[in-house]
């Protein structure tokens, strides 16, 4: 029996794939490589194609006995989702309909799904719990919420069992040093500060210094990809032992401001790279911090690598060793 990892060549997908393989799971990957990297899957069998292509997916399901699916295959840039909402509905929601349809055709009933804190929008209370109001402020978050609702109705109608994992700010790189974060274009704070430390960009902009936070900059809950990997393994094991459909936040319960990330990055890299103070970026909530109590209680998940130093040191090692990322474009 194999685990099908859709989007396993992407940033979070490849780290979770590595964790599953280290735990002894037999995995295969489907990825269309529009944003993922062939090198990120290592020697795991890779099928290059699209989850929305029924004939391709039928071939994959026919060649393997698939026990469960992990679904990371989605576009995830908030800004892009506002410029091109149709792309996000097609690539995220429509493709997930096709994937669930393929699973249904092949009688596969278990799925672990990559969701996002973006489903909550601007939170009314902090830390955010799973049943906090869902009011996405961008198309990306709206499609993640729609995919969760889709799985809910497939649960009711077809007996699909799903675990949806709402990541806060995924960050860091595998301690093994072979995989890390490589997006084009890069929009995320941590890789940007490390590129500035490498001299690959002149400075980093701090988007907004007038937020109602202690230092005026936005606070986020950064969660190491190694901790995301352990959560996915636990969620898969939960479903395989008969666990029922559930939704969990994945965050550290600890917030770091943009300025704190900049300072920690200067310390880890030893480079006093320049920053520029810039206006707020549209759609950024001031504070996003998860409650992870449910994942701790139900899955037994304990994040262990999500302090600023561990995140930045692992990401810095990846950036230094791979100055051109996976270098495969
Ligand atoms: N930031 C800067 N300068 C930059 C880039 C980012 O100040 O050059 C700030 C942002 O304004 C924000 C923080 O750094 O306050 C983190 O920004 P990221 O772009 O790294 O991450 P986001 O919080 O915007 O978004 C991430 C994921 C989304 C997900 C969201 C959920 O990229 O997919 O977390 O919390 F929806």
């Amino acid at each position: 029996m194999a685990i099908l990892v859709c989007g396993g060549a992407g940033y979070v997908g490849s780290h979770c794939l590595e964790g599953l393989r280290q735990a002894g799971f037999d995995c295969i990957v489907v990825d269309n490589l529009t944003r993922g990297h062939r090198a990120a899957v290592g020697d795991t069998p890779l099928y290059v194609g699209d989850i929305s292509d029924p004939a391709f997916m039928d071939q994959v399901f026919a060649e393997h006995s698939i026990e469960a699916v992990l679904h990371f295959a989605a576009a995830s840039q908030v800004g892009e989702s506002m410029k091109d909402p149709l792309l996000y509905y097609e690539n995220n929601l429509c493709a997930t309909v096709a994937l669930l349809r393929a699973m249904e055709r092949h009688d596969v009933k278990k799925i672990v799904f990559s969701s996002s804190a973006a489903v909550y929008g601007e939170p009314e209370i902090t830390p955010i719990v799973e049943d906090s109001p869902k009011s996405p402020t961008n198309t990306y978050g709206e499609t993640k919420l729609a995919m969760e609702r889709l799985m809910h109705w497939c649960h009711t109608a077809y007996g699909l069992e799903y675990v949806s994992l709402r990541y806060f700010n995924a960050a860091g790189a595998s301690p093994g040093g072979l995989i890390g974060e490589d997006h084009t274009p890069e929009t995320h704070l941590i890789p940007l500060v490390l590129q500035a430390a490498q001299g690959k960009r002149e400075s980093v902009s701090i988007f907004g210094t007038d937020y109602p936070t202690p230092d005026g900059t936005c606070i986020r809950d950064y969660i190491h990809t190694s901790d995301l990997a352990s959560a996915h393994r636990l969620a898969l094991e939960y479903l395989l032992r008969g666990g029922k459909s559930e939704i969990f936040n994945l965050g550290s319960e600890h917030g770091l401001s943009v300025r704190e990330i900049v300072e920690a990055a200067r310390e880890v890299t030893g480079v006093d790279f320049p920053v520029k103070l810039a206006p707020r970026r549209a759609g950024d909530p001031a504070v996003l911090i998860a409650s992870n109590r449910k994942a701790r209680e139900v899955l037994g998940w304990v994040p262990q690598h999500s302090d600023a130093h561990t995140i930045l040191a692992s990401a810095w090692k990846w950036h230094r060793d791979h100055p051109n990322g996976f270098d495969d474009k």
Side-chain angles (χ1 to χ4, degrees):
M1 296 292 270
I3 306 301
L4 171 58
V5 183
C6 298
Y11 173 44
V12 177
S14 60
H15 285 79
C16 294
L17 172 70
E18 184 182 67
L20 287 183
R21 296 216 41 206
Q22 283 167 356
F25 283 97
D26 188 11
C27 298
I28 59 166
V29 170
V30 161
D31 200 297
N32 63 14
L33 297 183
T34 54
R35 305 202 179 188
H37 304 277
R38 188 179 288 275
V41 309
D43 61 2
T44 307
L46 168 66
Y47 290 79
V48 180
D50 211 295
I51 57 170
S52 56
D53 177 347
F56 166 71
M57 292 302 283
D58 281 346
Q59 185 201 338
V60 173
F61 277 99
E63 283 181 20
H64 297 272
S65 180
I66 306 286
E67 199 174 11
V69 173
L70 272 76
H71 178 23
F72 302 93
S76 64
Q77 289 175 24
V78 170
E80 181 187 54
S81 80
M82 298 303 284
K83 288 192 190 117
D84 194 355
L86 290 175
L87 174 72
Y88 277 68
Y89 274 88
E90 279 160 8
N91 201 32
N92 294 359
L93 185 57
C94 298
T96 299
V97 172
L99 172 64
L100 295 177
R101 181 58 89 190
M103 289 173 63
E104 207 249 322
R105 277 198 303 280
H106 295 272
D107 200 29
V108 177
K109 300 273 189 208
K110 298 179 195 308
I111 184 168
V112 179
F113 175 70
S114 297
S115 188
S116 170
V119 301
Y120 297 109
E122 183 87 44
E124 285 165 19
I125 51 145
T126 293
I128 299 171
V129 293
E130 285 80 356
D131 54 11
S132 292
K134 262 68 74 189
S135 186
T137 53
N138 53 64
T139 312
Y140 167 67
E142 190 74 53
T143 61
K144 287 285 174 182
L145 188 57
M147 291 184 274
E148 287 190 353
R149 299 305 297 159
L150 170 64
M151 290 187 297
H152 164 77
W153 294 114
C154 290
H155 165 75
T156 307
Y158 315 122
L160 178 80
E161 297 295 348
Y162 67 94
V163 169
S164 184
L165 299 175
R166 294 180 180 152
Y167 317 155
F168 280 62
N169 285 60
S174 163
L178 295 179
I179 52 175
E181 189 164 11
D182 178 2
H183 294 120
T184 307
E186 188 52 77
T187 61
H188 295 104
L189 179 65
I190 289 179
L192 291 175
V193 295
L194 297 178
Q195 287 174 3
Q198 286 178 301
K200 287 171 71 180
R201 57 182 69 239
E202 270 177 26
S203 64
V204 173
S205 296
I206 295 183
F207 294 146
T209 51
D210 58 349
Y211 284 98
T213 59
D215 69 16
T217 66
C218 286
I219 292 177
R220 292 289 178 274
D221 181 339
Y222 294 88
I223 185 80
H224 197 294
T225 46
S226 297
D227 288 328
L228 293 179
S230 67
H232 284 74
R233 178 181 53 75
L234 290 166
L236 176 63
E237 289 168 351
Y238 165 87
L239 283 179
L240 294 179
R241 64 172 181 267
K244 294 289 166 207
S245 295
E246 277 295 356
I247 295 177
F248 301 101
N249 285 341
L250 297 183
S252 69
E253 294 196 336
H254 182 67
L256 291 166
S257 73
V258 176
R259 282 192 205 273
E260 285 173 322
I261 291 287
V262 166
E263 285 317 315
R266 285 176 170 161
E267 206 176 293
V268 164
T269 63
V271 182
D272 196 14
F273 55 85
V275 297
K276 282 186 183 155
L277 305 186
R280 291 183 178 196
R281 186 172 70 175
D284 272 344
V287 180
L288 286 176
I289 298 175
S291 161
N292 62 24
R293 186 172 166 184
K294 189 173 168 189
R296 284 175 184 267
E297 288 181 358
V298 179
L299 298 177
W301 180 61
V302 183
Q304 287 172 318
H305 309 277
S306 294
D307 59 284
H309 186 272
T310 307
I311 286 175
L312 284 158
S314 64
W316 180 232
K317 175 173 165 45
W318 160 258
H319 275 75
R320 256 183 334 186
D321 293 351
H322 303 84
N324 301 313
F326 286 101
D327 210 7
D328 59 351
K329 291 283 187 237

